[in-house]
Amino acid sequence: MPDQSPLLSLSKLSLRFKGQPVCAVEDVSLSVAAGEILCVVGESGCGKSVTAMALMGLLPPGAAEIHGGVMTFDGQAFDLTKDRVPSDLRGGRIAMIFQEPMTSLNPVFRVGEQIAESVQRHSGCSRGDARLRSLEMLRCVGLPSPERLLDQYPHQFSGGQRQRVMIAMALANDPRLLIADEPTTALDVTIQAQILNLIRDLQRDTGMGTIMITHDLGVVADVADTVAVMYGGHIVESGPMTEIFENPQHPYTIGLMASVPRLSGPRQRLTTINGTVPSIRQMPSGCRFRTRCAFAAETCSTRPAQAEVGPDHSVACHFAPLEQMLKVAG
Ligand SMILES: Nc1ncnc2c1ncn2[C@@H]1O[C@H](COP(=O)(O)OP(=O)(O)O)[C@@H](O)[C@H]1O
Ligand SMILES: [Mg+2]
């Protein structure tokens, strides 16, 4: 059972990009415990990556203004509006993997050197020990003949192998927290499943907390303990994974669910989501989902507060819980 005290918590992160009329991410709170996988899910453009970058102190300098947000990691609190996230956390106690490994692997260095360099930077160990650790990690992520691979360059690997190398590099310093931003999106389906299984197995072995960012509810069903659903820079629903799948309460979550098989029981098609995520310049006031919501009413022009609809299950919708609405809608 995961330890319940959060390893990382983020409270009310709000940030706005220069020149944009509204915050790209607004009042986003989430938390993840050691040994737990939190999936942050939502369509493209909902603010998932930007939230992760803010946590890591990786937002492009000068491009975004953080208006609020406190991150607590391992008992240490950082006011993200003014404190810098210490660089020794990044790649050390907090590791990150991205969608496209080629953007984080340097094409001109052998992969063994790249993993070893990261190990040496964070642990200060000898070159020899760092090389041994690299070898151990390549073996641990299931790459064949790791001795030979140490001396190869990133372009000599397939997409799936490169993602394994990235995972080896991310986990080489025994992070307490892994942030994985769409780590399987660029891979084909069978490789996706292998990489997800690998991350889940390593996560169980090490007890690290994990924030998995995805737009794919299949990934959520495969790996999540808890889920935060993002829409238009807001968290619209969050709760335990089974609760989100079996008892979704936000019209956006329900819409997302309509496109994937249910975990169990008869498949119900409640609604589908028309249209696309509005651009930041066209973002409606109040509930940002209201321009696409089948239940939208006048009251939705004011922003709904988060309401508890069950244990650890909260929803930001004026009509939550939705049972009454669904009866009316038939
Ligand atoms: N460097 C940037 N400058 C301006 N706007 C940005 C920048 N990066 C992201 N955004 C905007 O922030 C919003 C959220 O983007 P992002 O976090 O990448 O979405 P997701 O990861 O959920 O697909 C989008 O509206 C996007 O256009
Ligand atoms: Mg993204």
Side-chain angles (χ1 to χ4, degrees):
M1 261 280 95
D3 168 7
Q4 289 311 304
S5 64
L7 170 65
L8 174 129
S9 67
L10 174 65
S11 173
K12 289 187 169 290
L13 173 70
S14 294
L15 64 90
R16 191 162 56 86
F17 285 100
K18 292 258 161 68
Q20 293 188 348
V22 298
C23 284
V25 167
E26 192 169 51
D27 287 335
V28 163
S29 300
L30 47 83
S31 72
V32 61
E36 184 178 83
I37 301 186
L38 163 70
C39 277
V40 179
V41 65
E43 287 162 289
S44 189
C46 284
K48 307 181 297 295
S49 295
V50 164
T51 299
M53 309 240 285
L55 283 176
M56 298 290 286
L58 288 176
L59 286 171
E65 219 165 68
I66 297 185
H67 294 292
V70 175
M71 164 176 128
T72 307
F73 177 72
D74 225 0
Q76 245 184 314
F78 304 94
D79 178 345
L80 296 175
T81 61
K82 50 177 206 271
D83 300 337
R84 283 191 63 79
V85 178
S87 59
D88 66 305
L89 283 188
R90 280 199 295 276
R93 285 185 291 157
I94 305 181
M96 206 167 166
I97 49 182
F98 301 93
Q99 174 171 340
E100 183 36 72
M102 272 319 260
T103 58
S104 349
L105 285 171
N106 190 326
V108 303
F109 291 106
R110 298 170 202 274
V111 301
E113 292 166 40
Q114 298 193 47
I115 303 173
E117 201 270 328
S118 161
V119 171
Q120 272 192 294
R121 178 155 28 100
H122 288 281
S123 73
C125 70
S126 71
R127 266 180 80 98
D129 284 348
R131 189 172 166 94
L132 282 178
R133 178 71 177 151
S134 310
L135 196 59
E136 181 189 346
M137 288 314 298
L138 289 179
R139 196 171 288 130
C140 173
V141 297
L143 285 165
S145 349
E147 290 84 358
R148 189 171 51 80
L149 296 184
L150 275 183
D151 294 321
Q152 294 190 342
Y153 292 91
H155 74 264
Q156 294 175 284
F157 291 73
S158 70
Q161 287 176 327
R162 277 201 286 267
Q163 202 52 290
R164 284 178 196 264
V165 171
M166 282 311 302
I167 294 168
M169 192 143 87
L171 301 193
N173 292 307
D174 286 326
R176 304 282 318 280
L177 177 75
L178 174 69
I179 302 179
D181 190 354
E182 311 256 7
T184 60
T185 301
L187 305 173
D188 74 46
V189 178
T190 44
I191 308 291
Q192 273 189 24
Q194 291 169 9
I195 296 289
L196 282 180
N197 284 337
L198 173 68
I199 293 174
R200 196 174 38 194
D201 290 349
L202 292 170
Q203 184 264 342
R204 280 190 188 139
D205 292 348
T206 59
M208 65 186 173
T210 300
I211 299 176
M212 171 83 76
I213 294 173
T214 181
H215 65 269
D216 182 345
L217 275 172
V219 170
V220 180
D222 277 348
V223 303
D225 296 305
T226 57
V227 182
V229 182
M230 265 190 106
Y231 184 83
H234 292 163
I235 296 207
V236 296
E237 181 158 11
S238 62
M241 187 268 278
T242 45
E243 187 58 17
I244 296 293
F245 274 83
E246 286 165 11
N247 185 26
Q249 290 292 328
H250 194 283
Y252 180 61
T253 315
I254 293 170
L256 287 179
M257 292 296 166
S259 57
V260 290
R262 305 296 301 268
L263 281 187
S264 60
R267 185 169 174 181
Q268 287 168 292
R269 246 175 212 287
L270 296 172
T271 176
T272 49
I273 314 171
N274 294 317
T276 52
V277 183
S279 78
I280 201 79
R281 293 188 184 284
Q282 260 126 37
M283 204 52 89
S285 60
C287 174
R288 291 183 171 186
F289 186 59
R290 70 186 162 99
T291 48
R292 297 172 74 190
C293 182
F295 305 114
E298 215 165 303
T299 177
C300 303
S301 58
T302 59
R303 193 161 138 214
Q306 293 276 349
E308 292 277 328
V309 291
D312 297 321
H313 183 182
S314 66
V315 180
C317 173
H318 290 294
F319 299 114
L322 264 181
E323 277 87 15
Q324 288 309 315
M325 294 298 286
L326 293 176
K327 267 187 214 136
V328 173

